[in-house]
Amino acid sequence: MALEHAILVSLTERAGSGYELAHRFDRSIGFFWPATHQQIYRVLRRMDEAGWVTHTEVAQEGRPDKKVYQVSATGRDELARWLAEPVDPAVLRDGLAVKIRGASLGDTAAVLREVVRHRGEHAALLEVYHGIRRRDFPKPAKLSGRELHQYLVLRGGIRAEESFLAWCDEVIEAMRSEQS
Amino acid sequence: MALEHAILVSLTERAGSGYELAHRFDRSIGFFWPATHQQIYRVLRRMDEAGWVTHTEVAQEGRPDKKVYQVSATGRDELARWLAEPVDPAVLRDGLAVKIRGASLGDTAAVLREVVRHRGEHAALLEVYHGIRRRDFPKPAKLSGRELHQYLVLRGGIRAEESFLAWCDEVIEAMRSEQS
DNA sequence: AGCCCCATGTAAGACGTTACATGATTGT
DNA sequence: ACAATCATGTAACGTCTTACATGGGGCT
């Protein structure tokens, strides 16, 4: 329902091919709206048929040709329409929480090791976010418009990862002192 | 992939019908692993065929008969096996973040109103979590085993909502001072 | 009279995942 | 020689969502 709109936002920032979009999704907008390249190709074609985007075939040397997509006037209208509409609150699907809840029905120590592993992954992602922040937004107080909005979304990612990390620490501590 | 295991955890805590499970998902485990009643009925049947659960038909007066499901020995083994296996990190799908990122391509004020609305929803859910905490875990320091694990998962929910709320506040403040 | 609750289910369609296919180019 | 990158796509399958169906009981 909203992958279309995530693509419209990304394509408005910069035109690009499905392949490029898939990579942007892997390292920015996809942190909040994950999508694989197959989804993106399929949705792009649908959007093209609906007239929300247009494409230009670009021949390349030594590389396969590509289709560079651009948002059309209809697409901009559709995006504006969607932006004014309510969205469902964020959905979280967390297998680790299910495991922690069921920990005593299996190997509690293994679940604890899994929490430690997740802690590492969240710490790594937090570092990625901090890196983007330093590189792209060195002076946050001066931002406005699109840059401010991109920064605010990044702040959401940073907050979410910090909160995950702190939760993992709380779980690790509580489960460790329980076992000893 | 893990709805089965979330159901196994919930059914181990207490046997119940598909209908009852659907309600439990609406107010506890479903905060971390959402599922509708149709999904639950379908998966329960599959689990029954696989021998992970067994069911007993219970005739009722003035109400439709129900099938009360129980976890079998095979189901307990499967749960233990799954608990020792790695899980993917939590997936977040947040339409609000997409909207904030694209805010300047439409009615920025409408997006801001939407952030305010989400702030309210997160505050309400946080209150629900706090209520559960007070009712079910009045003395967290003394918990161990299954109760401790349930409490820790609830703490994750509280932390996630607190972090969302703080993010909404940050976004609201930044977007308001930008507009004026 | 109309609606909600209990309880289970069918059916259709949208959406997402995984594997595979192509084929030149660049790097190890 | 092998793998990765660029670039797009097909095919099969699995999951999820949405709407609808049934039918008694209780509430307003």
Side-chain angles (χ1 to χ4, degrees):
Chain A
M1 281 266 141
L3 178 55
E4 282 87 337
H5 302 100
I7 289 176
L8 285 174
V9 170
S10 192
L11 274 186
T12 307
E13 290 175 0
R14 201 158 1 103
S17 68
Y19 188 85
E20 284 173 290
L21 270 171
H23 281 266
R24 283 189 225 169
F25 268 73
D26 280 349
R27 59 191 63 237
S28 74
I29 212 165
F31 292 133
F32 308 96
W33 204 274
T36 61
H37 73 107
Q38 291 86 346
Q39 280 182 74
I40 289 169
Y41 282 125
R42 200 140 28 89
V43 169
L44 271 177
R45 182 182 300 187
R46 205 157 59 204
M47 291 167 76
D48 202 348
E49 282 162 14
W52 296 4
V53 295
T54 55
H55 72 267
T56 321
E57 299 248 2
V58 175
Q60 298 188 116
E61 277 170 41
R63 289 178 183 189
D65 299 353
K66 63 179 177 181
K67 294 180 194 164
V68 174
Y69 288 90
Q70 261 198 319
V71 179
S72 69
T74 319
R76 280 191 293 277
D77 288 354
E78 169 56 29
L79 182 54
R81 191 199 60 73
W82 176 76
L83 282 167
E85 196 179 69
V87 233
D88 288 338
V91 174
L92 183 73
R93 206 169 278 267
D94 188 357
L96 187 64
V98 178
K99 281 204 177 179
I100 292 168
R101 226 192 135 144
S104 55
L105 309 170
D107 181 350
T108 315
V111 173
L112 180 51
R113 280 195 299 275
E114 187 61 5
V115 179
V116 172
R117 191 179 70 85
H118 278 241
R119 193 210 177 272
E121 296 216 8
H122 289 298
L125 187 51
L126 183 57
E127 255 321 296
V128 170
Y129 287 158
H130 279 313
I132 297 173
R133 219 235 62 194
R134 279 191 298 266
R135 218 172 309 126
D136 298 354
F137 310 103
K139 297 233 169 77
K142 298 196 172 174
L143 297 170
S144 71
R146 180 187 294 179
E147 277 189 327
L148 172 66
H149 303 144
Q150 286 178 349
Y151 169 75
L152 288 171
V153 171
L154 183 62
R155 283 288 305 151
I158 289 171
R159 280 180 182 279
E161 291 307 317
E162 281 173 346
S163 143
F164 247 118
L165 207 66
W167 178 53
C168 288
D169 285 335
E170 182 178 349
V171 173
I172 292 164
E173 219 211 285
M175 288 182 75
R176 278 203 182 130
S177 41
E178 186 204 15
Q179 289 199 301
S180 56
Chain B
M1 281 268 142
L3 178 54
E4 283 88 336
H5 302 99
I7 289 177
L8 285 174
V9 169
S10 192
L11 275 185
T12 307
E13 290 174 1
R14 201 158 1 103
S17 68
Y19 188 84
E20 283 173 291
L21 270 172
H23 281 267
R24 281 188 226 169
F25 267 73
D26 279 349
R27 60 191 63 237
S28 73
I29 211 164
F31 291 133
F32 308 96
W33 203 273
T36 62
H37 72 107
Q38 292 86 347
Q39 281 181 72
I40 289 167
Y41 283 125
R42 201 143 22 90
V43 170
L44 271 175
R45 181 183 300 189
R46 206 157 58 203
M47 291 167 76
D48 203 347
E49 282 162 13
W52 297 4
V53 295
T54 56
H55 73 268
T56 322
E57 300 248 3
V58 176
Q60 298 188 116
E61 277 169 41
R63 287 178 184 190
D65 299 353
K66 63 179 177 182
K67 293 179 194 164
V68 174
Y69 288 90
Q70 261 196 321
V71 179
S72 68
T74 318
R76 280 192 293 276
D77 288 353
E78 169 55 29
L79 183 53
R81 191 199 60 73
W82 176 76
L83 282 167
E85 194 180 70
V87 232
D88 288 337
V91 173
L92 183 74
R93 205 171 279 265
D94 188 357
L96 187 64
V98 178
K99 280 205 177 177
I100 292 168
R101 227 192 133 144
S104 56
L105 309 170
D107 183 350
T108 314
V111 173
L112 180 51
R113 282 195 298 276
E114 187 62 5
V115 178
V116 172
R117 191 179 70 84
H118 277 241
R119 193 209 177 272
E121 296 216 8
H122 289 298
L125 187 52
L126 183 57
E127 256 321 294
V128 169
Y129 287 159
H130 279 313
I132 297 172
R133 219 235 63 192
R134 280 191 297 265
R135 220 172 308 125
D136 298 354
F137 310 101
K139 297 233 169 74
K142 298 196 172 174
L143 296 171
S144 70
R146 181 187 294 180
E147 279 190 324
L148 173 64
H149 303 144
Q150 285 178 351
Y151 169 75
L152 288 171
V153 171
L154 183 61
R155 283 288 304 151
I158 290 171
R159 280 181 183 279
E161 291 307 317
E162 281 173 345
S163 143
F164 247 118
L165 207 66
W167 178 55
C168 287
D169 284 335
E170 182 179 349
V171 173
I172 292 164
E173 219 212 284
M175 288 181 75
R176 278 204 182 129
S177 39
E178 187 205 14
Q179 289 199 303
S180 57

